[in-house]
Amino acid sequence: MRSLPSLASLLLACQLLPAPTPMAHTLARTPGPAPARCLMVLLPGAGDHIRSFSDERFVQAIRDTGLSIDIASAEATMGYYFRGVLAERLEHDVLAPNRGGHEQVWILGISMGGFGSLHYAQQHPVDGVIALAPWLGDRKLADEIQRSGGLARWTPDPPAPVTKDNYQRQLWSWLHRSTSPGAKAPVIFLGYGDDDRLAAQDSLLAAALPRDHVFHAPGGHDWPTWRTLLHAVLRHPDFTRSCAASPVP
């Protein structure tokens, strides 16, 4: 009898949280005959949609930098996370058709999309991740890492296929390896508001990153704060060097 409520919940969630195949996306190309140097994929948070990045002026802010960036906004809604197919659909439907011709691939996500950006980078090669106010899992796991003395001192799980039961521990284990000295890993930029409700978990990752790769701004878990953080990240020399119209020595 215990299985009946969970089955009912599963069926209800499948109806309310669809995950269409293929995953929809839009592509805003830099003017010119060839692809831009960088492809940046944008992942929305829970409750947001493909149009949110245009409505909230993220696409325009990236355009205004004058950098060589093609921008793919993905309709990576909660249904893909619920079914455990986010990384698979992103790769097949968004990255694979658009990756060709670009020198670098960057993933930018906010809130749940911030988790998605790291979750994808854990499983597929990318050059950089911009995670703004990312959800990083349950507080219980964060407390375990904190009691260990932080991410660097925490004992990670060995690499394993990602499942619905281990995805949080596998993500933090990958972050542990990726932030270790000398690790071959994508650049990670992390930003969050000083009053963000996810700041406690995010601060654990922040402590393991280079100081200049962590960005703070007054505010909470909202678009005005994320816009401020975005503008700061887009000015970082490591990012501008990566996506400049002409390679920088």
Side-chain angles (χ1 to χ4, degrees):
M1 295 297 291
R2 284 186 176 184
S3 63
L4 292 178
S6 61
L7 176 60
S9 299
L10 176 63
L11 293 174
L12 179 62
C14 288
Q15 294 174 354
L16 298 180
L17 300 172
T21 302
M23 179 187 288
H25 71 280
T26 60
L27 183 64
R29 290 192 178 276
T30 298
R37 289 189 67 209
C38 289
L39 173 66
M40 180 179 286
V41 179
L42 310 183
L43 305 184
D48 291 311
H49 294 278
I50 198 168
R51 64 184 181 275
S52 299
F53 288 107
S54 293
D55 293 346
E56 298 295 339
R57 305 192 298 281
F58 264 49
V59 173
Q60 189 59 51
I62 297 168
R63 281 272 171 267
D64 288 345
T65 64
L67 298 172
S68 182
I69 304 173
D70 289 337
I71 307 166
S73 300
E75 187 77 312
T77 51
M78 286 299 296
Y80 297 98
Y81 293 89
F82 181 83
R83 291 166 174 77
V85 298
L86 175 80
E88 174 187 351
R89 295 269 50 99
L90 268 178
E91 173 61 22
H92 287 280
D93 302 336
V94 182
L95 273 298
N98 296 302
R99 185 185 285 111
H102 297 92
E103 296 178 21
Q104 296 203 12
V105 172
W106 286 71
I107 311 290
L108 182 153
I110 58 165
S111 192
M112 183 59 72
F115 163 81
S117 65
L118 295 165
H119 177 72
Y120 177 86
Q122 174 191 355
Q123 300 174 67
H124 297 278
V126 300
D127 297 280
V129 175
I130 302 171
L132 301 182
W135 180 81
L136 293 176
D138 295 336
R139 185 60 185 264
K140 182 179 179 180
L141 178 54
D143 289 343
E144 175 188 328
I145 297 170
Q146 185 68 56
R147 288 193 302 271
S148 299
L151 185 57
R153 295 185 178 183
W154 178 64
T155 301
D157 292 1
V162 177
T163 70
K164 65 181 178 62
D165 297 316
N166 72 4
Y167 71 95
Q168 294 185 33
R169 297 191 69 88
Q170 280 297 307
L171 177 64
W172 276 108
S173 296
W174 176 78
L175 289 170
H176 171 91
R177 293 188 292 272
S178 298
T179 56
S180 299
K184 293 184 178 180
V187 175
I188 298 176
F189 290 121
L190 172 68
Y192 54 96
D194 295 330
D195 298 317
D196 195 297
R197 64 178 182 270
L198 302 178
Q201 288 94 324
D202 289 351
S203 65
L204 287 174
L205 176 56
L209 293 172
R211 185 172 300 179
D212 68 326
H213 285 196
V214 178
F215 300 84
H216 297 275
H221 200 75
D222 52 48
W223 282 100
T225 304
W226 300 334
R227 277 195 297 272
T228 299
L229 295 166
L230 174 68
H231 284 288
V233 174
L234 293 177
R235 293 194 298 268
H236 192 283
D238 288 350
F239 181 75
T240 58
R241 188 182 304 113
S242 297
C243 298
S246 299
V248 177

